[in-house]
């Protein structure tokens, strides 16, 4: 048996929620290892829709342990709101079922204020942040200013750390022309929420190691996608954390050798939310068709996603960078009805052909996609649960994607419903 890490192989929004939910039925423990509540996973189970942001997708299952790892930045008020929202839908959430790493850093109100103030300074060239404070919270972690879950136990220590933090942040807010924030207000707000949060605090790295030693199956759940990785994505139009397989280890407290199988999630086309390069974007009727049929609006922000053709060159790159062993291909059914399909197989920059997306934002802005064309299909693939249910042209499309990206398609999703999935290889027994 193998532990499994799930990571996005494009710019996020690849349909990880459904795939993680599908896999969580086979896992014993589900752990989030990076990101914050800027990411969103949508689950549809027995006709009930759950929108999760911080909570691992395993939380909706009675017998699973869900862990928020140390690599996640946590807004305690957003977390409690999310817990209460799913409790109202009949999901039981308690400290035996949900555990939060004691060394996970907190997102505070000042982080959201800084996020918005910094985005305003960028004028007509915003990064496209959700303004939820994720970036500034990670900055505090690296700068050794962060207040962590374990600090909630000790108000005097928390107050001392908060005063030092706000000395820095208020100077920055003042310099940006934004309103300063009182350390007293933040302290009082933390004291009001601490009794709700502290019962979930745990030594999660030890819980995970004990589970692994006992032969339990662990599912590592990533947020966003590899092209938003702070090191390997389309910098600076990226998030503030890493999401490659190595981060599943760092962000949970387990060794890299215990990760096992790495499953990349990718749509059968490409989408992106916010600013930044997007070589295969279709600002035409094709993009409109994909957006409308695929219901392409962000789970967290509600923002309309940019849509375009499948970029095999980009996914081939993320397969290598992310340590991906196999792909879960989602939303194949959205392509139903298109007479012709295009796949990007490489790029051209100033007349030179390259087979990867360069790191330079100047070169990224200059790339032109090189396409291959394939016939589409008129038949419906919606809800297909076997290869025999797919039209021949759809099978050829999937097989060609495998050849181009250098990784097998191990799962194929044909609708938002969990069971509308074609399994070629179970990652837990890979």
């Amino acid at each position: 048996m193998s532990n499994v890490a799930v990571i996005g192989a494009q710019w996020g929004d690849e349909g990880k929620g459904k795939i993680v939910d599908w896999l969580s039925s086979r896992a014993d423990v589900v752990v989030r290892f990076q990101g914050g509540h800027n990411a969103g996973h949508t689950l549809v189970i027995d006709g009930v829709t759950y929108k999760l942001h911080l909570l691992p997708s395993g939380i909706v299952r009675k017998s699973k342990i869900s862990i928020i790892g140390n690599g996640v930045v946590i807004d305690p008020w957003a977390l409690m709101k999310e817990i209460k929202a799913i409790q109202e839908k009949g999901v039981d959430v308690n400290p035996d079922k949900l555990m939060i790493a004691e060394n996970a850093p907190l997102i505070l109100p000042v982080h959201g204020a800084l996020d918005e103030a910094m985005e305003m300074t960028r004028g007509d060239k915003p990064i496209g942040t959700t303004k939820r404070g994720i970036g500034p919270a990670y900055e505090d972690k690296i700068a050794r200013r962060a207040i962590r879950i374990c600090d909630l136990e000790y108000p005097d220590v928390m107050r001392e750390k908060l005063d030092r933090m706000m000395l820095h942040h208020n100077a920055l807010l003042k310099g940006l022309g934004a309103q300063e924030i009182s350390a007293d207000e933040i302290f009082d707000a933390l004291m009001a929420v601490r009794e709700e949060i502290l019962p979930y605090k745990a030594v999660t790295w030890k819980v995970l190691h004990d589970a692994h030693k006992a032969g339990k199956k662990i599912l590592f759940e990533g947020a966003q996608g590899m092209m938003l990785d702070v090191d390997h994505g389309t910098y600076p139009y990226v998030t503030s954390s890493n999401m490659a397989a190595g981060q599943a280890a760092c962000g949970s407290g387990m060794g890299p050798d215990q990760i096992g199988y790495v499953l990349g999630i990718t749509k059968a086309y490409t989408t992106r939310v916010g600013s930044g390069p997007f070589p295969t974007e279709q600002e035409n009727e094709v993009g409109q068709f994909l957006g409308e049929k695929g219901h392409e609006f962000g789970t967290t922000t509600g923002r309309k996603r940019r849509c375009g053709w499948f970029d095999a060159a980009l996914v081939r790159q993320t397969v290598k960078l992310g340590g991906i062993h196999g792909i879960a291909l989602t939303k194949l059914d959205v392509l139903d009805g298109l007479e012709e399909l295009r796949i990007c197989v490489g790029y051209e920059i100033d007349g030179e052909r390259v087979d990867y997306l360069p790191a330079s934002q100047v070169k990224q802005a200059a790339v032109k996609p090189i396409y291959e064309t394939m016939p589409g299909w008129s038949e419906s693939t919606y809800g297909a649960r076997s290869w025999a249910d797919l039209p021949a042209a759809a099978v050829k499309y999937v097989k060609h994607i495998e050849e181009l990206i250098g990784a097998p398609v191990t799962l194929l999703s044909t609708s938002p419903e969990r069971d509308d999935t074609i399994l070629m290889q179970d990652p837990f027994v890979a």
Side-chain angles (χ1 to χ4, degrees):
M1 304 300 289
S2 173
N3 296 328
V4 177
V6 173
I7 62 177
Q10 294 166 310
W11 278 288
D13 303 308
E14 300 98 347
K16 291 186 292 297
K18 170 191 167 170
I19 300 300
V20 170
D21 172 60
W22 190 88
L23 289 168
S24 69
S25 66
R26 292 156 171 77
D28 301 299
V29 183
V30 184
V31 54
R32 272 283 309 273
F33 61 84
Q34 53 80 219
H37 64 309
N38 55 339
H41 290 170
T42 301
L43 315 181
V44 181
I45 302 170
D46 297 328
V48 180
T49 299
Y50 303 91
K51 294 183 182 293
L52 305 179
H53 303 279
L54 278 166
L55 293 172
S57 296
I59 197 70
V60 299
R61 299 188 176 278
K62 293 181 181 179
S63 60
K64 314 299 178 182
I65 294 175
S66 293
I67 290 176
I68 301 176
N70 58 275
V72 180
V73 285
I74 300 169
D75 181 321
W77 302 277
L79 177 60
M80 294 313 303
K81 181 179 178 182
E82 190 174 329
I83 288 173
K84 289 171 184 175
I86 68 165
Q87 285 176 330
E88 289 173 359
K89 293 190 175 186
V91 177
D92 180 33
V93 182
N94 60 68
D96 292 327
K97 186 177 177 182
L98 174 66
M99 303 177 191
I100 305 174
E102 63 177 358
N103 52 337
L106 297 178
I107 300 173
L108 305 178
V110 68
H111 295 131
L114 284 166
D115 211 351
E116 185 167 3
M118 290 300 297
E119 192 76 337
M120 291 290 289
T121 66
R122 300 181 182 111
D124 60 354
K125 293 183 179 180
I127 287 175
T129 170
T130 57
K131 302 177 185 177
R132 297 194 173 198
I134 281 79
Y138 273 118
E139 286 183 43
D140 273 355
K141 175 182 177 178
I142 299 303
R144 302 180 293 275
R145 283 190 297 264
I147 291 175
R148 306 189 295 175
I149 290 289
C150 55
D151 294 325
L152 293 173
E153 278 192 286
Y154 305 99
D156 291 344
V157 173
M158 185 170 67
R159 180 65 209 228
E160 183 181 340
K161 293 179 72 172
L162 186 60
D163 284 340
R164 289 200 302 268
M165 174 193 289
M166 295 309 297
L167 182 66
H168 176 275
H169 288 330
N170 274 328
L172 184 55
L173 285 169
K174 184 176 181 180
L176 293 171
Q179 185 175 352
E180 295 180 42
I181 296 177
S182 166
D184 292 337
E185 291 179 14
I186 297 178
F187 180 78
D188 290 344
L190 285 170
M191 290 299 291
V193 78
R194 68 190 287 269
E195 297 302 328
E196 293 182 275
I197 293 290
L198 279 174
Y200 298 103
K201 177 183 73 69
V203 185
T204 54
W205 65 266
K206 191 174 186 305
V207 173
L208 287 167
H209 279 267
D210 290 346
H212 181 65
K213 188 176 180 180
K216 302 293 186 182
K217 289 176 285 185
I218 301 170
L219 180 62
F220 299 87
E221 178 183 3
Q224 291 109 3
M226 274 300 302
M227 292 314 293
L228 291 175
D229 185 283
V230 69
D231 283 304
H232 301 294
T234 48
Y235 191 92
Y237 302 99
V238 293
T239 192
S240 300
S241 59
N242 294 109
M243 51 212 63
Q247 182 60 27
C250 294
S252 65
M254 296 196 78
D257 62 327
Q258 296 172 7
I259 301 302
Y261 193 91
V262 182
L263 182 69
I265 317 295
T266 177
K267 282 176 180 164
Y269 51 101
T270 311
T271 61
R272 176 167 196 168
V273 171
S275 306
F278 184 173
T280 64
E281 183 174 12
Q282 298 297 298
E283 297 181 277
N284 52 28
E285 65 278 2
V286 171
Q288 185 175 351
F289 173 91
L290 295 172
E292 291 178 357
K293 192 170 181 182
H295 305 291
E296 296 297 351
F297 296 91
T299 299
T300 298
T301 63
R303 288 185 292 180
K304 184 178 179 181
R305 297 177 185 136
R306 301 154 64 190
C307 300
W309 295 117
F310 185 81
D311 192 335
L314 182 139
V315 175
R316 183 170 62 242
Q317 184 169 333
T318 61
V319 163
K320 295 174 181 177
L321 289 170
I324 293 170
H325 297 110
I327 288 288
L329 190 68
T330 67
K331 289 199 168 185
L332 181 69
D333 56 291
V334 175
L335 301 180
D336 295 352
L338 287 170
E339 293 183 5
E340 182 180 272
L341 303 173
R342 289 187 169 192
I343 300 176
C344 174
V345 295
Y347 311 108
E348 183 182 294
I349 304 175
D350 298 328
E352 179 184 357
R353 179 165 179 158
V354 295
D355 62 357
Y356 66 96
L357 192 63
S360 164
Q361 66 186 99
V362 175
K363 289 184 177 179
Q364 288 176 359
V367 300
K368 296 179 181 178
I370 299 170
Y371 288 113
E372 284 186 0
T373 302
M374 295 187 69
W377 54 88
S378 57
E379 305 95 320
S380 174
T381 63
Y382 187 90
R385 297 186 181 183
S386 73
W387 282 105
D389 295 333
L390 299 176
V395 174
K396 288 180 181 178
Y397 181 75
V398 174
K399 291 298 183 183
H400 194 43
I401 283 176
E402 289 183 319
E403 295 170 358
L404 291 170
I405 67 174
V409 173
T410 58
L411 288 93
L412 185 63
S413 172
T414 57
S415 95
E417 291 294 336
R418 181 171 60 88
D419 293 331
D420 291 340
T421 304
I422 301 172
L423 174 66
M424 279 68 80
Q425 180 184 22
D426 188 338
F428 280 114
V429 295

